[in-house]
Amino acid sequence: MNIQIFGKNKCFDTKKAERYFKERRIKYQYVDLSRYGMSRRELEGVKNAVGLEAMIDEKDRDYPLIQYLATPEAKLDKLFEAPWLIKTPVVRNGRQATVGYQPEVWKGWE
């Protein structure tokens, strides 16, 4: 298992996801989304796994900026440029991915 957690330092769900994997002694790599973002390929992989709309953080103050973009490609470009608009945590295991705190899915990865 090769777990990556993309999150924000002040995100409560990101901290819960980290705790979930620590308690089970599953090694993971943490990536600060605000600081490093995601590569275009990683973003595409997560989009393919969960869908574009599930990736967008509707609680962010900039949500209206992305909500009214016409095409999915334009929305994906905006997420690449502004990674703080991505809902966290994004947890990847190879080609599998989840957005948000989803221990019921992670349990199936073990």
Side-chain angles (χ1 to χ4, degrees):
M1 215 172 359
N2 189 16
I3 302 293
Q4 282 184 309
I5 300 175
F6 292 87
K8 301 172 192 165
N9 287 332
K10 295 183 180 179
C11 174
F12 183 66
D13 283 344
T14 298
K15 298 209 181 303
K16 284 180 14 183
E18 286 186 274
R19 187 174 341 114
Y20 175 89
F21 290 105
K22 278 182 189 173
E23 287 173 353
R24 286 153 184 79
R25 292 187 174 96
I26 298 171
K27 292 182 180 180
Y28 65 90
Q29 175 190 11
Y30 173 76
V31 178
D32 185 353
L33 199 55
S34 305
R35 188 171 184 186
Y36 300 107
M38 292 177 104
S39 72
R40 179 76 68 174
R41 194 173 198 179
E42 289 168 333
L43 202 59
E44 277 287 333
V46 173
K47 181 194 75 130
N48 292 339
V50 300
L52 183 61
E53 294 302 319
M55 295 175 63
I56 302 170
D57 186 1
E58 64 276 350
K59 294 178 186 170
D60 193 279
R61 63 183 171 89
D62 291 334
Y63 176 67
L65 294 175
I66 198 168
Q67 182 182 14
Y68 296 108
L69 291 173
T71 64
E73 292 80 24
K75 290 180 180 183
L76 195 64
D77 288 342
K78 186 65 177 176
L79 288 178
F80 182 70
E81 296 166 11
W84 59 86
L85 287 168
I86 300 172
K87 184 187 264 183
T88 55
V90 175
V91 181
R92 292 183 62 220
N93 179 21
R95 291 179 186 247
Q96 299 172 312
T98 60
V99 175
Y101 183 71
Q102 298 191 16
E104 62 283 349
V105 176
W106 305 333
K107 196 173 287 187
W109 293 354
E110 295 175 23

